[in-house]
Amino acid sequence: AEEKDISKRFFMLLHRFLKRKYKTVDVLFVSHHSTASEVSEEDFFYGKETGGTTVSTAIEKTNEILAARYPTNDWNIYCAQSSDGDNSGNDDTRLTHQMNNLLAIAQYFAYIEVYGSNLTPEMVMRTSSVWSAYEKLSEDHQNLSMRKVFGKEGIWPVFNDLFSKERNSK
């Protein structure tokens, strides 16, 4: 509901940024619930699909697409993912494996975890399984950046932090 709206707004901002900044850019849209698939821009932003969440399926699908169409010696790979942090209980090992593969070829991977406007950073006491898995991966992968977004008003500051020139020149 609200978290999905926040995610879509974040990706609309990112999509607009990429299309304006780069003359040549391929943008892939991977959507997931219990399974993942590559979807059109329209389906990604306006689709109503909901369901259970198995996060590894999205990362696995991304790896498959990249291997088939984007050789790393010809392409710079940048990825962004948004999630409410929920993941199927037995998916963490598979997710970590798939993320290790993706992080090995990506120049940059931005992960945002979204929370509704009724939650503040102080109110979020739990650490999601996705956040925990990615936090461990970030110890060995400097190309993984993670941020939490609280409500629509949190989108721009996080976007700016993840994609600012100052951040990317470090």
Side-chain angles (χ1 to χ4, degrees):
E2 184 182 7
E3 289 85 359
K4 193 171 193 169
D5 179 62
I6 293 166
S7 292
K8 286 181 180 186
R9 288 172 185 258
F10 177 85
F11 283 117
M12 284 180 180
L13 179 62
L14 178 57
H15 189 248
R16 177 175 282 155
F17 168 77
L18 291 171
K19 290 293 188 178
R20 286 187 177 169
K21 185 165 174 72
Y22 300 101
K23 289 180 182 173
T24 306
V25 64
D26 276 11
V27 178
L28 305 177
F29 297 96
V30 175
S31 182
H32 70 93
H33 38 91
S34 55
T35 61
S37 58
E38 183 175 8
V39 296
S40 69
E41 178 180 334
E42 185 173 323
D43 285 345
F44 184 82
F45 288 117
Y46 303 107
K48 303 290 184 208
E49 214 169 284
T50 61
T53 302
T54 307
V55 178
S56 66
T57 63
I59 306 304
E60 184 174 22
K61 177 58 72 175
T62 301
N63 282 328
E64 289 171 11
I65 294 167
L66 293 174
R69 300 195 313 238
Y70 298 95
T72 55
N73 50 340
D74 295 334
W75 291 88
N76 291 321
I77 308 297
Y78 293 85
C79 301
Q81 178 188 12
S82 176
S83 173
D84 62 5
D86 290 337
N87 193 18
S88 297
N90 59 351
D91 190 48
D92 291 344
T93 301
R94 185 172 168 204
L95 174 60
T96 299
H97 174 73
Q98 291 298 325
M99 274 298 290
N100 264 317
N101 293 340
L102 183 52
L103 291 169
I105 62 167
Q107 278 70 31
Y108 186 62
F109 189 102
Y111 172 69
I112 64 164
E113 198 159 284
V114 295
Y115 297 89
S117 56
N118 60 335
L119 293 176
T120 65
E122 297 78 29
M123 293 169 67
V124 178
M125 301 304 288
R126 72 172 182 90
T127 299
S128 74
S129 64
V130 176
W131 188 272
S132 294
Y134 286 11
E135 205 166 39
K136 288 176 189 154
L137 287 167
S138 71
E139 294 170 9
D140 296 323
H141 297 280
Q142 300 304 311
N143 56 337
L144 172 59
S145 290
M146 303 165 48
R147 301 291 184 281
K148 293 184 179 185
V149 175
F150 295 90
K152 291 183 293 194
E153 58 281 346
I155 295 169
W156 175 249
V158 167
F159 179 86
N160 195 39
D161 185 39
L162 287 170
F163 299 106
S164 70
K165 285 183 181 180
E166 294 79 30
R167 190 239 164 268
N168 292 316
S169 64
K170 292 178 184 174

